[in-house]
Amino acid sequence: MTLSFIASVTPASFTAVDGITHETNNELIVVDSTSSTLRRYNLNTTTQVGSNVTLTSIPAGVCLVDSASALSVMRNTASFDLVEIASGYKQNYTVSGGSSLNTTKTNQIAGDPSTKIAMAISGGNSTLFKFNANTYTTSTVVLPKANENTNTFASIILKESGKWLVGGNGGDIFEIDSNGNVLSRFSLGLPNTFARSGILNTPGSIRTMSYDNGLLLVVTFGGHLFLIDWGSKTVIKEQVLGTASTSIFLSPSVSGECIFGSQTANVTGATVIYELDYTVKPFTVRDILFNDSTAGIVAAGVNGLNGRGWTLQASPTNKIRFITMTPPRVTTTRTFTVNPGGNHLKVRLSLYDNSGVEKKPYLDTIMQSPCTYRVPTGKNILEYIEYGEGEDAAFDVSTYNT
Amino acid sequence: MALSFYADLMDAAYTSGTGYKISAVAVDANNIYTTSSQTRFRVYDLKTLSNTFSTTGNFLSTGVPTDVTLLTSASALVTNPSGADNGFKIVDLTTGFVRTIGLTGSTVSRARGQQVAYNGSVAMIACNTAGSVKTFTLAGELGNTYLPAGLSGQTPTCVVTKEGNFLVGTDTRRIHEITPTGTIVQTFTVPLTPNVGTTPAVELMGLSYYNDLVLCSTDSGVVYLIKWSTQTILDSTFCIGSTVSQLGFLMCQSVSGHTIVTTQQCADAAQPIFEVYFGNGEILYEESFYSNVNTSIRATGISLEAQKAWVLTNGSAADGYHLRMFNINTGSVLSPTRAQDPPTVDVASRIIRIRNGGVGKASIEYDGTVGAGELPVPASQGKNYIEISIQNSKWDVRKFRA
């Protein structure tokens, strides 16, 4: 796909905090910290829809909790603001006994419009805030620590309906349901680590995440990028992005791609946002969009229905930049199963271009059978499967068209 | 390559009181040649790491040397970071005698590696003078300054060899191929589109060349792989730049399509060091090491002669080293293949050879039809491979180390 710049707007009294794409309405819903407002912008016309909605206090993030309502978690008070999108009507809901959040990062709240449940990061140890838009009630959810490195949580995204992924401050990631039950967990470690005494074999806090069809993309506060096969809990790719000061963000997945950039301005050179493919031939940079020098980008998103997108620039001037990511990516999903004798195995699965043009694999992972992954369409695939070691190793090779 | 840790080395005069550090390094089959921030030239035995020689007294009146380039088995070129000392120095490796050569009044461009490249007879220096490059010709010890018209207004920032010529990166997003006599043969301009309407300055941070392929990094954090003869971008990746002291990727001259890549600084405890292979025309991260350096790295390097790679840091006592060295296993070998069906009967077959650095670190290196009988196929020494043979509907797999 190709990134293109469409237009910029510079809203008055505005410092971008977070945004969410309403795909059906084709709108950006954005919250800001200067005026503590929620605003809507049409992604085609790039103009504001309706009027500013003044929130109860400074917001930390925004999500959709159903198709008609946006939910914002407050930064310094333990509460949510629920906003009816069409009318702008706002209602505040306090989280009793909750410890408020105080951060300016994205991925602080994640809503599930199917179940009308939203989860948010709080300032409490191992604690999340929960909002139920069915009953208009709030509560706190306490998760167990994975290890002594995790005390508070740093980021949260919706994995699929009814399930969330929560990143801890010590490299731990939890998959939970709407009741806070931990369905699975993973502790991220650094491979090939050797050091003098005193080093922690931990990559640090989970800054941001993006998930698509079995693959979880994670960036730590230390500026390291990891691709995790969530089913097998295996790190399959890693790369360095920058440093802790760059504060990387990842957009939600759009057909297995995401936009990422840096919240911290680059003091020389051009600030860049990348269109990154992390599901088909990861990590392929599909396109790059150059911003101003010293631009700090805090969030981005794309409407998967039409490729219309946005970025929020918080420095040196606050802007909303409207972009497109076109044409819509042509992929499909495919379920892979390896179950000799009825036992589902953990195997190495590799998909290559059988035409001989592309050298790196479309997918190379440790798969826990069965699993569904995104695959490119219109390709002739060479599939390689391997499991076992030494004399017990077994292989399978097949070719097919997608 | 296959990387494994070899050794750490501190400057021989380092104490917490003096704070002296290794500032530049070159390695041959027997020795490690360094300059020190104490302004000494020191030699260490490669095997024992003992300091076998050190000059006495400062050989520069001011500044700390930033590059050591081996010219012959008996001499090295040491760069002068400050023009105050009237030029660069030649060091006799046997006696330690230091003398000035006639490249007066210029300093190297940047306080990091890749400021000098040597093609076996001529060294080209990236001097901090816009529009010019300087060369030192060993025969006759001649210093020259060239001002090619195509370099006007541009300051060189890094240089590597390209067969007999040089590739020079500049602070205006250009890479020039320049002959030893200062003639520009070809120029590549790093793109800045699509953009939001501005074209900020972009600087080349590092270069690596192999077999008509140029890997380059910029201070915008974008890394490109360019096919030089056709001036086309084959692949791209990222390393987000941050503040001035933490820009982009450093890399070194390639050995057989491999280079060592790292960030200048990683504020997190884990400093990443990557082995990248680009000889296939795609950027492949093959090995990664994370070490406990929370400080800046100024250069990386590979010595084919010594079978060693390294990173050079501004290390402190807590880090425990200034020079971190790795064993490498480079070189190309011929690894034969053949297909038989049934056993002992040679048949023609399609052979797909995959270089296998592990999950997420694999790529197809050879894909061709082999006639009946043995065929030697080039491979990277020490690398693991997966080889698939396909003949009609039959297939077979073997795994081996070249």
Side-chain angles (χ1 to χ4, degrees):
Chain A
M1 288 193 273
T2 302
L3 290 176
S4 299
F5 169 68
I6 304 301
S8 294
V9 298
T10 305
S13 301
F14 176 87
T15 301
V17 171
D18 191 19
I20 191 76
T21 306
H22 195 306
E23 292 196 335
T24 306
N25 290 356
N26 194 32
E27 291 180 1
L28 157 67
I29 298 174
V30 57
V31 293
D32 95 283
S33 59
T34 296
S35 305
S36 298
T37 59
L38 180 146
R39 312 184 192 198
R40 299 158 57 201
Y41 289 85
N42 184 284
L43 294 177
N44 281 351
T45 64
T46 72
T47 55
Q48 187 169 1
V49 179
S51 302
N52 296 353
V53 175
T54 300
L55 300 174
T56 301
S57 62
I58 297 175
V62 66
C63 71
L64 293 174
V65 70
D66 62 38
S67 60
S69 308
L71 187 72
S72 183
V73 63
M74 299 297 106
R75 183 183 295 178
N76 295 318
T77 61
S79 68
F80 294 99
D81 273 353
L82 180 69
V83 177
E84 185 181 64
I85 294 171
S87 66
Y89 177 75
K90 179 210 75 179
Q91 181 70 42
N92 182 261
Y93 297 88
T94 301
V95 183
S96 177
S99 173
S100 66
L101 179 69
N102 185 16
T103 181
T104 59
K105 306 294 189 292
T106 55
N107 287 169
Q108 300 302 298
I109 185 170
D112 179 11
S114 297
T115 60
K116 297 189 176 184
I117 302 287
M119 298 283 194
I121 302 296
S122 81
N125 289 350
S126 303
T127 303
L128 300 172
F129 290 159
K130 174 179 174 180
F131 183 85
N132 188 332
N134 299 288
T135 58
Y136 301 100
T137 56
T138 65
S139 57
T140 57
V141 174
V142 181
L143 306 186
K145 299 178 189 178
N147 58 55
E148 290 308 310
N149 292 326
T150 288
N151 193 19
T152 58
F153 297 123
S155 55
I156 187 168
I157 62 169
L158 183 71
K159 175 177 176 277
E160 58 191 84
S161 182
K163 298 177 183 176
W164 286 257
L165 291 167
V166 185
N169 68 347
D172 303 311
I173 304 168
F174 301 84
E175 180 179 353
I176 64 170
D177 66 14
S178 60
N179 293 316
N181 297 311
V182 177
L183 306 176
S184 67
R185 68 184 68 184
F186 178 62
S187 290
L188 196 57
L190 294 173
N192 287 331
T193 305
F194 57 94
R196 302 292 178 181
S197 61
I199 182 67
L200 294 174
N201 185 18
T202 173
S205 191
I206 306 298
R207 162 69 183 88
T208 180
M209 298 181 282
S210 185
Y211 178 84
D212 185 281
N213 280 289
L215 297 179
L216 175 63
L217 188 66
V218 170
V219 179
T220 68
F221 272 105
H224 299 148
L225 179 72
F226 298 93
L227 184 63
I228 304 166
D229 186 302
W230 189 248
S232 66
K233 302 297 188 291
T234 308
V235 174
I236 60 174
K237 285 195 83 68
E238 72 218 64
Q239 196 160 320
V240 66
L241 282 185
T243 71
S245 64
T246 51
S247 192
I248 307 299
F249 71 86
L250 299 175
S251 79
S253 166
V254 180
S255 299
E257 298 188 1
C258 71
I259 292 176
F260 79 87
S262 170
Q263 186 168 332
T264 302
N266 188 351
V267 296
T268 69
T271 301
V272 176
I273 65 167
Y274 297 84
E275 177 189 341
L276 177 70
D277 191 339
Y278 66 93
T279 58
V280 175
K281 205 175 169 187
F283 297 124
T284 296
V285 174
R286 297 294 181 191
D287 208 349
I288 298 164
L289 179 66
F290 292 90
N291 278 264
D292 295 330
S293 289
T294 72
I297 316 293
V298 302
V302 176
N303 186 343
L305 300 178
N306 59 14
R308 291 281 180 171
W310 50 270
T311 70
L312 303 180
Q313 178 174 309
S315 63
T317 55
N318 283 281
K319 289 180 186 289
I320 302 173
R321 297 202 190 271
F322 295 93
I323 64 175
T324 62
M325 195 161 82
T326 57
R329 180 168 150 80
V330 183
T331 62
T332 186
T333 57
R334 185 181 178 96
T335 300
F336 298 87
T337 303
V338 180
N339 60 341
N343 297 317
H344 286 282
L345 300 179
K346 184 182 285 189
V347 305
R348 182 175 183 178
L349 169 69
S350 307
L351 305 179
Y352 290 92
D353 175 14
N354 196 35
S355 71
V357 173
E358 298 180 79
K359 308 300 183 187
K360 290 193 291 190
Y362 295 126
L363 179 68
D364 185 18
T365 187
I366 301 297
M367 174 190 83
Q368 176 59 60
S369 172
C371 195
T372 300
Y373 298 102
R374 191 176 293 277
V375 296
T377 59
K379 299 291 185 181
N380 185 230
I381 301 289
L382 172 73
E383 178 181 303
Y384 170 82
I385 289 175
E386 172 190 334
Y387 56 92
E389 298 284 342
E391 291 183 358
D392 295 326
F395 308 92
D396 189 27
V397 175
S398 59
T399 60
Y400 50 85
N401 293 317
T402 58
Chain B
M1 293 194 297
L3 285 180
S4 62
F5 175 69
Y6 177 66
D8 286 339
L9 186 68
M10 302 281 279
D11 183 73
Y14 175 83
T15 66
S16 58
T18 65
Y20 292 131
K21 300 177 182 179
I22 296 173
S23 61
V25 63
V27 179
D28 69 14
N30 299 306
N31 295 300
I32 304 167
Y33 304 93
T34 73
T35 55
S36 165
S37 59
Q38 193 187 15
T39 323
R40 303 284 192 272
F41 185 85
R42 293 199 169 96
V43 183
Y44 303 82
D45 184 277
L46 182 60
K47 289 188 175 59
T48 66
L49 304 182
S50 58
N51 177 212
T52 56
F53 174 81
S54 180
T55 56
T56 57
N58 294 347
F59 65 88
L60 293 177
S61 61
T62 182
V64 175
T66 55
D67 295 86
V68 174
T69 304
L70 295 177
L71 300 175
T72 68
S73 60
S75 64
L77 174 68
V78 174
T79 58
N80 177 8
S82 165
D85 214 28
N86 289 326
F88 301 98
K89 307 293 183 182
I90 295 290
V91 180
D92 184 307
L93 298 179
T94 303
T95 66
F97 181 69
V98 180
R99 56 193 170 81
T100 302
I101 58 173
L103 283 171
T104 60
S106 291
T107 69
V108 293
S109 179
R110 299 291 186 263
R112 57 179 188 247
Q114 297 201 305
Q115 301 302 294
V116 181
Y118 181 59
N119 67 3
S121 57
V122 175
M124 182 163 286
I125 300 142
C127 285
N128 191 26
T129 304
S132 74
V133 288
K134 291 187 182 289
T135 61
F136 173 74
T137 303
L138 185 63
E141 295 196 352
L142 301 173
N144 280 294
T145 299
Y146 297 103
L147 300 111
L151 195 60
S152 175
Q154 305 162 45
T155 301
T157 56
C158 50
V159 58
V160 293
T161 56
K162 175 188 177 292
E163 286 100 29
N165 291 341
F166 300 91
L167 293 173
V168 177
T170 74
D171 63 350
T172 59
R173 64 189 178 100
R174 287 173 178 77
I175 304 170
H176 300 286
E177 181 180 355
I178 304 179
T179 68
T181 52
T183 300
I184 292 178
V185 176
Q186 194 167 16
T187 297
F188 179 84
T189 302
V190 170
L192 269 185
T193 55
N195 60 59
V196 298
T198 59
T199 54
V202 169
E203 173 174 317
L204 272 298
M205 296 294 300
L207 293 167
S208 194
Y209 174 79
Y210 173 73
N211 196 24
D212 197 29
L213 298 170
V214 178
L215 187 70
C216 68
S217 70
T218 71
D219 68 351
S220 290
V222 186
V223 180
Y224 296 99
L225 180 63
I226 304 158
K227 187 169 179 62
W228 191 250
S229 58
T230 60
Q231 299 277 282
T232 52
I233 295 173
L234 301 178
D235 201 0
S236 57
T237 185
F238 45 83
C239 172
I240 289 189
S242 181
T243 61
V244 172
S245 64
Q246 302 165 354
L247 295 172
F249 268 156
L250 299 181
M251 57 184 73
C252 62
Q253 179 58 41
S254 164
V255 170
S256 303
H258 303 266
T259 187
I260 302 296
V261 164
T262 184
T263 59
Q264 280 202 126
Q265 186 165 5
C266 191
D268 188 76
Q271 175 79 29
I273 299 161
F274 293 100
E275 175 203 349
V276 171
Y277 177 69
F278 59 94
N280 261 356
E282 295 181 347
I283 302 170
L284 181 66
Y285 284 70
E286 291 208 298
E287 295 232 36
S288 57
F289 285 86
Y290 293 89
S291 59
N292 61 329
V293 177
N294 186 13
T295 185
S296 61
I297 289 183
R298 51 190 302 144
T300 70
I302 300 176
S303 169
L304 181 61
E305 192 179 13
Q307 293 283 287
K308 296 287 184 286
W310 66 85
V311 292
L312 182 65
T313 83
N314 286 324
S316 66
D319 302 321
Y321 68 92
H322 302 143
L323 185 65
R324 173 152 280 179
M325 301 185 72
F326 304 88
N327 293 310
I328 60 173
N329 194 354
T330 65
S332 182
V333 295
L334 289 175
S335 187
T337 187
R338 76 198 306 158
Q340 296 183 327
D341 185 28
T344 74
V345 179
D346 286 329
V347 295
S349 173
R350 177 187 177 192
I351 297 293
I352 303 161
R353 183 176 284 182
I354 300 167
R355 61 188 290 131
N356 180 28
V359 174
K361 299 174 181 178
S363 70
I364 294 176
E365 189 167 283
Y366 176 86
D367 186 352
T369 299
V370 174
E374 182 179 276
L375 177 72
V377 175
S380 295
Q381 183 173 334
K383 266 298 176 190
N384 292 318
Y385 287 88
I386 298 168
E387 193 168 86
I388 303 171
S389 169
I390 299 177
Q391 185 208 28
N392 298 322
S393 60
K394 296 182 179 180
W395 57 267
D396 197 12
V397 175
R398 71 176 180 120
K399 298 174 71 175
F400 66 95
R401 169 169 286 192

Coordinates of all heavy atoms in Angstrom, one line a residue, chain B residues 313-340:
Chain B
T313 N 32.6 1.8 22.3 CA 31.7 2.6 23.1 C 32.5 3.7 23.9 O 33.7 3.7 24.0 CB 31.0 1.8 24.1 OG1 31.8 1.6 25.3 CG2 30.6 0.4 23.6
N314 N 31.7 4.6 24.4 CA 32.2 5.6 25.4 C 31.9 5.0 26.8 O 31.2 5.6 27.6 CB 31.5 6.9 25.3 CG 32.0 7.7 24.1 OD1 33.2 7.6 23.7 ND2 31.2 8.4 23.4
G315 N 32.4 3.8 27.0 CA 32.0 3.0 28.2 C 32.5 3.6 29.5 O 33.4 4.4 29.5
S316 N 31.8 3.3 30.6 CA 32.2 3.7 31.9 C 32.6 2.5 32.7 O 32.6 1.3 32.2 CB 31.0 4.4 32.6 OG 30.0 3.4 32.8
A317 N 33.1 2.7 33.9 CA 33.5 1.6 34.8 C 32.3 0.6 35.0 O 32.5 -0.6 35.0 CB 34.0 2.1 36.1
A318 N 31.1 1.1 35.1 CA 30.0 0.2 35.3 C 29.7 -0.6 34.1 O 29.3 -1.8 34.3 CB 28.8 1.1 35.7
D319 N 30.0 -0.1 33.0 CA 29.8 -0.9 31.8 C 30.8 -2.0 31.6 O 30.6 -3.1 31.1 CB 29.9 -0.1 30.5 CG 28.8 1.0 30.6 OD1 27.7 0.8 31.0 OD2 29.2 2.2 30.1
G320 N 32.0 -1.8 32.1 CA 33.1 -2.8 32.1 C 33.9 -2.9 30.8 O 34.8 -3.7 30.7
Y321 N 33.6 -2.1 29.8 CA 34.4 -2.2 28.6 C 34.3 -1.0 27.7 O 33.3 -0.2 27.8 CB 34.0 -3.4 27.8 CG 32.6 -3.3 27.2 CD1 32.4 -2.8 25.9 CD2 31.5 -3.8 27.9 CE1 31.1 -2.8 25.4 CE2 30.2 -3.7 27.4 CZ 30.0 -3.2 26.1 OH 28.8 -3.1 25.6
H322 N 35.3 -0.8 26.9 CA 35.2 0.2 25.8 C 35.1 -0.4 24.5 O 34.5 0.1 23.5 CB 36.5 1.1 25.8 CG 36.7 1.8 27.1 ND1 38.0 2.0 27.7 CD2 35.9 2.3 28.0 CE1 37.9 2.6 28.8 NE2 36.6 2.8 29.1
L323 N 35.6 -1.6 24.4 CA 35.6 -2.4 23.1 C 35.0 -3.8 23.4 O 35.5 -4.5 24.3 CB 37.0 -2.5 22.6 CG 37.2 -3.2 21.2 CD1 36.5 -2.4 20.1 CD2 38.7 -3.4 20.9
R324 N 33.9 -4.1 22.7 CA 33.3 -5.4 22.9 C 33.5 -6.1 21.6 O 33.1 -5.7 20.5 CB 31.8 -5.3 23.2 CG 31.1 -6.6 23.3 CD 29.9 -6.6 24.2 NE 30.3 -6.8 25.6 CZ 29.5 -6.8 26.6 NH1 28.3 -6.6 26.5 NH2 30.0 -7.0 27.9
M325 N 34.1 -7.3 21.7 CA 34.5 -8.0 20.5 C 33.8 -9.4 20.4 O 33.5 -10.0 21.4 CB 36.0 -8.3 20.5 CG 36.8 -7.0 20.6 SD 38.6 -7.3 20.4 CE 38.8 -7.7 18.7
F326 N 33.6 -9.8 19.1 CA 32.9 -11.0 18.8 C 33.7 -11.8 17.9 O 34.4 -11.3 17.0 CB 31.5 -10.7 18.2 CG 30.6 -9.8 19.0 CD1 30.7 -8.5 18.8 CD2 29.7 -10.4 19.9 CE1 29.9 -7.6 19.6 CE2 28.9 -9.6 20.6 CZ 29.0 -8.2 20.5
N327 N 33.6 -13.1 18.0 CA 34.1 -14.0 16.9 C 33.1 -14.1 15.8 O 31.9 -14.0 16.0 CB 34.3 -15.5 17.5 CG 35.3 -15.6 18.5 OD1 36.5 -15.1 18.3 ND2 35.0 -16.2 19.6
I328 N 33.6 -14.1 14.6 CA 32.8 -14.3 13.4 C 33.3 -15.4 12.6 O 34.5 -15.8 12.7 CB 32.7 -13.0 12.6 CG1 34.1 -12.6 12.1 CG2 32.0 -11.8 13.4 CD1 34.1 -11.4 11.1
N329 N 32.4 -15.9 11.8 CA 32.8 -17.0 10.9 C 32.4 -16.6 9.5 O 31.2 -16.8 9.2 CB 32.2 -18.3 11.4 CG 32.8 -19.5 10.7 OD1 33.6 -19.4 9.8 ND2 32.4 -20.7 11.1
T330 N 33.2 -16.0 8.8 CA 32.8 -15.4 7.5 C 33.3 -16.3 6.3 O 33.9 -17.3 6.5 CB 33.4 -14.0 7.3 OG1 34.8 -14.1 7.3 CG2 33.0 -13.1 8.5
G331 N 33.1 -15.8 5.2 CA 33.6 -16.4 4.0 C 32.6 -17.2 3.3 O 31.6 -17.6 3.9
S332 N 32.9 -17.4 2.1 CA 32.0 -18.2 1.2 C 32.6 -19.5 0.9 O 33.8 -19.6 0.7 CB 31.8 -17.4 -0.1 OG 30.9 -18.1 -0.9
V333 N 31.8 -20.6 1.0 CA 32.3 -21.9 0.7 C 31.4 -22.5 -0.4 O 30.3 -22.0 -0.7 CB 32.3 -22.8 1.9 CG1 33.3 -22.3 3.0 CG2 30.9 -22.9 2.5
L334 N 31.9 -23.6 -1.0 CA 31.0 -24.3 -1.9 C 30.5 -25.5 -1.2 O 31.3 -26.4 -0.7 CB 31.9 -24.7 -3.2 CG 32.2 -23.6 -4.1 CD1 33.1 -24.1 -5.2 CD2 31.0 -22.9 -4.7
S335 N 29.2 -25.6 -1.1 CA 28.5 -26.7 -0.4 C 27.8 -27.5 -1.5 O 26.8 -27.0 -2.0 CB 27.6 -26.2 0.7 OG 27.1 -27.2 1.4
P336 N 28.2 -28.7 -1.8 CA 27.6 -29.4 -2.9 C 26.2 -30.0 -2.5 O 25.9 -30.2 -1.4 CB 28.6 -30.6 -3.1 CG 29.3 -30.8 -1.8 CD 29.4 -29.4 -1.2
T337 N 25.4 -30.2 -3.6 CA 24.1 -30.8 -3.4 C 23.9 -31.7 -4.6 O 24.5 -31.6 -5.6 CB 23.0 -29.7 -3.4 OG1 21.8 -30.3 -3.1 CG2 22.9 -29.0 -4.7
R338 N 23.0 -32.7 -4.4 CA 22.5 -33.6 -5.4 C 21.3 -34.2 -5.0 O 20.9 -34.3 -3.8 CB 23.6 -34.6 -5.7 CG 23.7 -35.7 -4.6 CD 25.0 -36.5 -4.7 NE 25.2 -37.1 -6.0 CZ 26.5 -37.4 -6.3 NH1 27.5 -37.3 -5.5 NH2 26.7 -37.9 -7.5
A339 N 20.5 -34.7 -6.0 CA 19.2 -35.4 -5.7 C 19.3 -36.8 -6.3 O 19.8 -37.0 -7.4 CB 18.1 -34.6 -6.2
Q340 N 18.8 -37.7 -5.5 CA 18.8 -39.1 -6.0 C 17.4 -39.7 -5.8 O 16.8 -39.5 -4.7 CB 19.9 -39.9 -5.3 CG 21.3 -39.4 -5.5 CD 22.4 -40.3 -4.9 OE1 22.1 -40.9 -3.8 NE2 23.5 -40.5 -5.5

